[in-house]
Amino acid sequence: MSRTSYLDVKAAILEQIRSGALRPGDTVPGEERLAGEFGCARVTVNRALRELAEAGVVERRRKAGTRVLDPTPRDAEMEIPSVRAEIEATGNPYRYELLARQIAPPPRPVREGLGLIPGIRALHLTCRHWAGACVHQLEDRWINLDVVPTARAADFRAHGPNDWLIQAMPLSRVEHVFSAQNATGEEAELLQIEPGAAIFVTERRTWIEGRAITRARLMHPGATHRLAARTLPPI
Amino acid sequence: MSRTSYLDVKAAILEQIRSGALRPGDTVPGEERLAGEFGCARVTVNRALRELAEAGVVERRRKAGTRVLDPTPRDAEMEIPSVRAEIEATGNPYRYELLARQIAPPPRPVREGLGLIPGIRALHLTCRHWAGACVHQLEDRWINLDVVPTARAADFRAHGPNDWLIQAMPLSRVEHVFSAQNATGEEAELLQIEPGAAIFVTERRTWIEGRAITRARLMHPGATHRLAARTLPPI
DNA sequence: TGACGTATTATGTGCATACATATTATCGAT
DNA sequence: ATCGATAATATGTATGCACATAATACGTCA
């Protein structure tokens, strides 16, 4: 029997978060307590919690203890805030609109992106996010109902699917691919811009434990949209 | 007199890299040795080096020791490879072309982005990066000669300014802002695309110790350009 | 009652030590 | 000379201990 590693502690706590035993806002037991439970030294627990804090999973404050964070604002290097927060930060009122919702077999590129067998149906949503009187984002999303069956029953008329998914599936892996494209006629109409105007397209795919959850194509008017990323030097 | 912190060790080693005393490829002295020099425990040096390794500054291998890494491929989350590597990865031959070079007072937005006093002149470069027969990137760059006076003497006809700057100024802070725009007539001509076609624009600014080094506007044909970012889950 | 100082508490970090593990170097046998 | 076992070495990490630091809780005094 080997000794308890800080990796064991880390994995155990992550598992508790994934399973819902620890929810955002909850306080993780203190280092001393956990060290007792795991039968290891406090420093070992310390390292596990420290790395979880670095990863943005928990927040630590002296005396106050360790609290599970909201999974939203994950990494500082590549900050992709929720659409709502992004818009409200500019002072504009945010409005969400569900344009279409159906369950259908996705087109081939989407199907392959989600790793689905041909013929399998998925949830298809089209939404619009407004910043005041301007369209900020047009969202075309497919959700893998095999992985997230509860999405079938979810009501996306009041709240966007992204917020819902972040709630339902924390700690997932995300891939973003950005590109610039000329808006098609339909896209231009929905975005309230001229056909052919440059749009900034984000293709976002999300996995949990190797299984694709969702694939979203997010379109923004190119003239107004800005995406920033900072790489900080060590220290 | 307080004890030596792992932060002190980290800062000292970073300083040696910045100053050039430790160059990429060099081997950092062993933990035991450094612990002796700094008058601290080996665990303290270990933590400093471990964090530097996590930050991508050094590479550690058992028995082999700790080596300073090339500053290029800094962070895995937001991988922005050198243009050359990016193109050669696709199998296309890379070609670099210097279109213009002059020393002039920059226009106001650039001047403010670089934090320069009005009237101060800076190095202005225009370059093109080819992937085979296609233009991959059109680069419009200003370099702050106050911070990098050696750039005045550098010859940018054979190699691009980005490679040169990475060599000359390691460990700097970088900010990227991405957007989609419609190409102007001039831009379209240089990029060999139709006027009005969507272009993917990266605005990159680089600082070292709070001073702006350079500001580049990188334009790519939107149809072909892709930028990917991944956020990995903890563990 | 309210302000302020002190006790309490949880995390942060350093040290000496011990052992684990990966990798290279070395040396001997074939 | 080649292969393989073994030694040497640098990093990886667990432990017990001590003290530092930040923040809250709480009790005392005006």
Side-chain angles (χ1 to χ4, degrees):
Chain A
M1 178 63 190
S2 81
R3 304 205 241 185
T4 310
S5 159
Y6 73 99
L7 292 171
D8 301 332
V9 180
K10 211 171 149 182
I13 292 174
L14 276 171
E15 182 46 41
Q16 288 202 300
I17 295 174
R18 257 191 270 268
S19 74
L22 280 172
R23 306 182 58 80
D26 286 359
T27 300
V28 181
E31 297 188 353
E32 205 81 52
R33 165 89 177 279
L34 286 172
E37 288 178 15
F38 284 97
C40 65
R42 187 173 71 89
V43 188
T44 305
V45 176
N46 181 281
R47 176 154 179 196
L49 291 179
R50 174 169 21 102
E51 294 200 356
L52 286 177
E54 272 164 23
V57 178
V58 300
E59 179 198 34
R60 316 197 72 194
R61 267 168 47 228
R62 288 181 187 180
K63 167 73 182 176
T66 303
R67 274 178 28 203
V68 180
L69 280 179
D70 230 50
T72 321
R74 279 287 296 290
D75 57 307
E77 312 229 4
M78 183 70 199
E79 201 173 324
I80 300 177
S82 86
V83 202
R84 165 174 229 121
E86 194 177 9
I87 289 171
E88 285 176 346
T90 68
N92 281 306
Y94 169 74
R95 191 160 65 82
Y96 163 78
E97 182 187 11
L98 177 64
L99 298 176
R101 177 209 161 100
Q102 59 170 336
I103 293 180
R108 220 186 95 204
V110 173
R111 199 186 70 214
E112 287 172 355
L114 288 176
L116 288 177
I117 302 162
I120 292 285
R121 299 192 301 166
L123 179 59
H124 185 205
L125 299 166
T126 313
C127 330
R128 224 165 12 171
H129 303 266
W130 295 78
C134 301
V135 178
H136 176 80
Q137 182 185 100
L138 181 62
E139 174 175 355
D140 181 276
R141 182 183 291 271
W142 289 85
I143 297 176
N144 187 343
L145 288 172
D146 286 351
V147 180
V148 206
T150 45
R152 192 186 291 265
D155 179 13
F156 294 110
R157 275 172 298 183
H159 299 290
N162 198 47
D163 296 342
W164 186 86
L165 283 165
I166 284 173
Q167 275 270 50
M169 306 255 97
L171 301 178
S172 45
R173 186 164 76 82
V174 186
E175 182 188 82
H176 292 92
V177 177
F178 309 101
S179 62
Q181 297 175 23
N182 291 94
T184 66
E186 193 190 353
E187 289 163 359
E189 192 179 330
L190 289 168
L191 282 166
Q192 298 186 318
I193 54 177
E194 293 301 311
I199 57 173
F200 189 94
V201 180
T202 301
E203 299 241 11
R204 183 186 301 177
R205 288 193 298 162
T206 311
W207 289 265
I208 192 152
E209 317 214 343
R211 306 183 70 194
I213 300 174
T214 183
R215 170 259 183 219
R217 180 181 156 89
L218 312 170
M219 290 156 275
H220 312 81
T224 53
H225 193 68
R226 287 280 181 283
L227 176 73
R230 257 163 293 276
T231 75
L232 299 168
I235 281 207
Chain B
M1 177 65 190
S2 81
R3 306 204 239 185
T4 311
S5 160
Y6 74 99
L7 292 171
D8 301 332
V9 180
K10 211 171 150 184
I13 292 174
L14 276 172
E15 183 45 41
Q16 289 201 300
I17 295 174
R18 259 192 269 265
S19 74
L22 280 171
R23 305 180 58 78
D26 287 358
T27 300
V28 181
E31 296 187 354
E32 205 80 52
R33 165 89 176 279
L34 287 172
E37 289 178 15
F38 285 97
C40 66
R42 186 173 73 84
V43 189
T44 305
V45 175
N46 180 282
R47 176 155 180 194
L49 292 178
R50 174 167 25 101
E51 293 201 354
L52 287 177
E54 271 164 22
V57 178
V58 300
E59 179 197 34
R60 317 198 71 194
R61 268 167 47 228
R62 286 181 186 179
K63 167 74 181 175
T66 302
R67 275 178 29 204
V68 180
L69 281 179
D70 231 49
T72 321
R74 276 289 296 290
D75 57 307
E77 311 229 7
M78 184 72 198
E79 201 173 326
I80 299 176
S82 85
V83 202
R84 164 175 230 121
E86 195 177 9
I87 289 171
E88 285 175 344
T90 68
N92 282 306
Y94 171 73
R95 192 159 66 81
Y96 163 76
E97 183 187 10
L98 177 63
L99 297 176
R101 178 209 160 101
Q102 59 171 336
I103 294 179
R108 218 186 96 203
V110 173
R111 198 187 71 214
E112 288 173 354
L114 288 176
L116 288 177
I117 302 162
I120 292 285
R121 298 194 301 166
L123 178 59
H124 184 205
L125 299 167
T126 313
C127 330
R128 223 165 13 168
H129 304 265
W130 295 78
C134 302
V135 178
H136 177 80
Q137 182 185 98
L138 180 63
E139 175 175 355
D140 181 275
R141 184 183 290 271
W142 290 85
I143 297 176
N144 187 343
L145 289 171
D146 286 351
V147 180
V148 206
T150 46
R152 191 186 293 266
D155 179 14
F156 294 110
R157 275 172 299 183
H159 299 289
N162 197 47
D163 296 343
W164 185 87
L165 282 165
I166 283 174
Q167 276 270 50
M169 305 257 98
L171 299 179
S172 44
R173 186 164 75 84
V174 185
E175 182 188 81
H176 291 93
V177 177
F178 309 101
S179 62
Q181 297 176 23
N182 291 95
T184 67
E186 192 190 354
E187 288 162 358
E189 192 178 331
L190 289 168
L191 282 165
Q192 298 186 317
I193 54 176
E194 295 300 312
I199 57 174
F200 189 94
V201 180
T202 302
E203 300 242 11
R204 184 186 301 177
R205 288 194 297 164
T206 311
W207 290 265
I208 193 153
E209 317 215 343
R211 305 183 70 194
I213 300 173
T214 181
R215 171 260 183 218
R217 181 181 154 89
L218 311 171
M219 289 156 276
H220 312 81
T224 54
H225 192 68
R226 287 281 182 282
L227 176 73
R230 254 165 293 276
T231 74
L232 298 170
I235 281 210

